[in-house]
Amino acid sequence: MIPAELSTHLSETLNLDIKKSQSVSGGSINRAAKISTNRGDLFLKWNSNAPDDFFEKEADGLKRLGSAGTALRIPNVISSGKPGNDRPGYLLMEFVEEGRSGDSYEFGRNLSKMHQTKANQFGLEVDNYIGSLPQSNRRYDDWIDFFTEERIKPQIKMAVDSGKLNSGIFQNWERLSAKLNEIFPSAKPSLLHGDLWGGNYLFNSDGKAVLIDPAVYYGHPEMDLAFTKMFGGFSGDFYEGYESESPLAPGFSERVPIYNLYPLLVHLNLFGGHYTSQFNSILRKF
Ligand code: ADP
């Protein structure tokens, strides 16, 4: 089930001999497999319809998180490639053996440490993807400008252009955005995972948290934490661990729906749905 052209390519470029493969489900975008090879067990994901630089950008994000040098585990990337010559785009990395449970407190504490990796500006020197949607990371000195111009407005535009939201949403957004400087506490740009929902971390067999599938940039640290609340999957210990390193500014819970306008819009643009009234009710609340 691994495309023959991909197996051949991996054999030719990496001398990789795939002895066995087992399909891994759970991804929303790509196909994936655990492969047993002459270099041990590895994780391979691929997609024939991915943009050329899709897996290269995912590899880049994983490497950036790995370079932060925290105790969070990040799978080692072995190789990535663009689609071509009848071959899908692919990403080959270390296989993570999942454990039954893990230390959520340590996970939170280590995420907070990762957020202490700072930059001078919000954004990143490269653009990347969130899910399969392009994510522009043009850099700004100011968080609100970045959040508005690079996160919310492009997603609202995409949703309105494709008929998923009514254009009246722009006005409601403008009304809220005028108040953002009273809502967001100031913060220096932090290294973020960028797509931290419950499906994008694993606990390995040692109970340590492993981050996968990032959409990395430097942003407000609360953005990653709000994301964790989007679909659940993070225990109370996780937040306690986070706050043991860096306590949250008062009012975080009230700010969560604003940060999460971004993943909500991304979800709408990726998977569709009827969210106009939900958006308007969030926008009108502030
Ligand atoms: P997608 O990009 O399609 O969303 P994911 O990267 O989330 O795919 O991977 C799909 C599933 O594979 C995940 O839910 C996770 O359980 C598993 N997975 C991801 N990366 C690894 C890895 N390095 N080792 C083992 N399992 C992994």
Side-chain angles (χ1 to χ4, degrees):
M1 55 118 221
I2 293 171
E5 295 79 4
L6 179 54
S7 305
T8 308
H9 175 74
L10 294 173
S11 158
E12 285 172 359
T13 53
L14 298 171
N15 219 356
L16 195 75
D17 177 16
I18 302 176
K19 299 175 201 295
K20 213 169 77 185
S21 77
Q22 194 185 330
S23 171
V24 175
S25 58
S28 43
I29 312 259
N30 306 296
R31 307 273 318 268
K34 173 184 185 180
I35 56 175
S36 308
T37 77
N38 53 331
R39 296 168 67 163
D41 288 346
L42 299 175
F43 183 80
L44 177 65
K45 58 198 269 190
W46 68 93
N47 189 332
S48 303
N49 303 315
D52 272 7
D53 62 350
F54 183 82
F55 289 110
E56 188 189 306
K57 292 296 170 62
E58 185 171 336
D60 175 74
L62 288 167
K63 287 176 194 164
R64 286 173 192 274
L65 297 183
S67 307
T70 67
L72 287 172
R73 306 297 161 96
I74 315 294
N76 277 325
V77 173
I78 294 159
S79 146
S80 66
K82 332 177 177 309
N85 295 336
D86 288 333
R87 188 174 69 230
Y90 73 91
L91 179 58
L92 180 66
M93 65 180 116
E94 175 191 345
F95 181 79
V96 178
E97 203 63 63
E98 260 193 275
R100 281 175 197 279
S101 61
D103 190 338
S104 289
Y105 186 91
E106 270 305 291
F107 178 17
R109 215 163 72 87
N110 289 326
L111 183 72
S112 171
K113 286 186 179 166
M114 191 186 97
H115 286 168
Q116 283 154 34
T117 308
K118 303 287 184 184
N120 290 326
Q121 286 185 299
F122 296 96
L124 196 67
E125 64 267 34
V126 289
D127 293 337
N128 45 29
Y129 295 88
I130 178 152
S132 55
L133 296 183
Q135 175 170 268
S136 165
N137 295 319
R138 198 144 59 95
R139 285 178 288 181
Y140 291 76
D141 292 329
D142 183 71
W143 165 247
I144 294 170
D145 292 341
F146 177 82
F147 183 70
T148 303
E149 300 301 329
E150 304 299 303
R151 290 294 175 266
I152 303 301
K153 279 194 186 158
Q155 293 291 332
I156 292 183
K157 183 174 183 318
M158 196 183 292
V160 169
D161 287 351
S162 61
K164 295 189 179 94
L165 285 179
N166 304 331
S167 58
I169 205 97
F170 273 115
Q171 272 181 340
N172 287 336
W173 164 253
E174 292 301 338
R175 211 172 301 138
L176 169 61
S177 74
K179 298 181 199 156
L180 289 179
N181 54 6
E182 291 153 32
I183 294 174
F184 289 138
S186 71
K188 280 204 78 183
S190 288
L191 180 66
L192 303 186
H193 175 281
D195 192 1
L196 194 55
W197 68 286
N200 280 345
Y201 77 90
L202 316 168
F203 282 123
N204 68 14
S205 46
D206 296 331
K208 310 270 189 220
V210 184
L211 300 183
I212 55 172
D213 244 355
V216 171
Y217 62 101
Y218 286 84
H220 199 299
E222 290 188 348
M223 190 82 180
D224 255 358
L225 276 189
F227 222 123
T228 65
K229 306 247 176 195
M230 183 74 191
F231 304 108
F234 295 79
S235 72
D237 289 352
F238 168 83
Y239 301 100
E240 271 180 40
Y242 190 93
E243 291 215 71
S244 73
E245 274 297 316
S246 37
L248 290 163
F252 169 66
S253 303
E254 286 80 63
R255 293 187 289 280
V256 165
I258 303 184
Y259 294 113
N260 281 353
L261 284 169
Y262 182 55
L264 201 57
L265 283 160
V266 166
H267 199 262
L268 172 67
N269 282 319
L270 277 174
F271 306 114
H274 302 282
Y275 290 105
T276 296
S277 58
Q278 192 178 340
F279 275 108
N280 282 326
S281 84
I282 296 170
L283 295 176
R284 284 202 204 96
K285 242 202 288 184
F286 294 91

